[in-house]
Amino acid sequence: VHELGHTLVAWFFGCSALPAVVMTVVFAQSLAVAAIVQGALVLLAVKYRRAPRWNVLFAAVAAVYPFLAFTSAHLVAFDLAGHVAETAFAAWAFRRAVDDERPEWEGPVWAFFAFYLVARNVTLFAGVAFSAAARTDYLTVAIAGQNDLVKVAERTGVALPTLAFLLALVCLVVPLGSLAVALRRPPVATNAE
């Protein structure tokens, strides 16, 4: 999930990318491909201009896209994409875990994956935020160059502990918020036979 997050964001911003087990190989951005994506987003915004919610989504993405794609911000988005993908997957898995329409055995499986991702990411980033030893470990165990958050800190100028704390909050709040919303949803009515 982590590497696919990097890969999808790279593609979205016009970069060639190949996911691997522990890293994503990404190549230079093609401005022509990024321009085609921008055009497609504008077309979607126009096409769905009368569709509630979709009109706002496509218009907002089309408006923000050039500020990310045609600046170095797309590199920050790429670096954050792995952990954001894990967080989104955990949020989705929590919703699947409490879905009454699924076979009974699926709930514990989805819940396990969701809790695992939340615990792993929150532990990692809280450690980087609050522990000098964990921060040193994070800085020194990169497989290729630097870890994702170190690159984001360098590109944005925000301190690594601050970024780690914010990411720990996101990795905790988004999936658990998704779970809370799913649990508050009224049960689906079924037809009694």
Side-chain angles (χ1 to χ4, degrees), residues 25-41:
V25 180
V26 65
F27 301 96
Q29 182 187 46
S30 166
L31 292 177
V33 173
I36 290 169
V37 172
Q38 173 66 47
L41 290 170

Side-chain angles (χ1 to χ4, degrees), residues 71-163:
T71 66
S72 62
H74 76 279
L75 299 172
V76 173
F78 171 80
D79 291 332
L80 290 173
H83 292 291
V84 169
E86 289 182 23
T87 301
F89 182 82
W92 177 79
F94 272 135
R95 294 183 75 83
R96 298 271 302 192
V98 298
D99 189 349
D100 293 335
E101 295 179 12
R102 305 259 161 246
E104 197 172 298
W105 62 269
E106 278 191 33
V109 173
W110 290 118
F112 168 79
F113 283 122
F115 278 115
Y116 170 76
L117 287 171
V118 169
R120 187 175 72 94
N121 282 317
V122 169
T123 301
L124 170 67
F125 294 124
V128 172
F130 298 113
S131 166
R135 201 164 25 260
T136 300
D137 288 346
Y138 187 74
L139 290 168
T140 59
V141 295
I143 292 171
Q146 297 174 314
N147 285 316
D148 297 331
L149 213 54
V150 175
K151 291 185 266 186
V152 172
E154 287 181 358
R155 287 187 175 115
T156 62
V158 178
L160 181 62
T162 303
L163 280 173

Side-chain angles (χ1 to χ4, degrees), residues 2-19:
H2 183 98
E3 298 309 327
L4 286 176
H6 287 306
T7 303
L8 293 175
V9 167
W11 291 345
F12 184 65
F13 289 119
C15 301
S16 298
L18 299 168

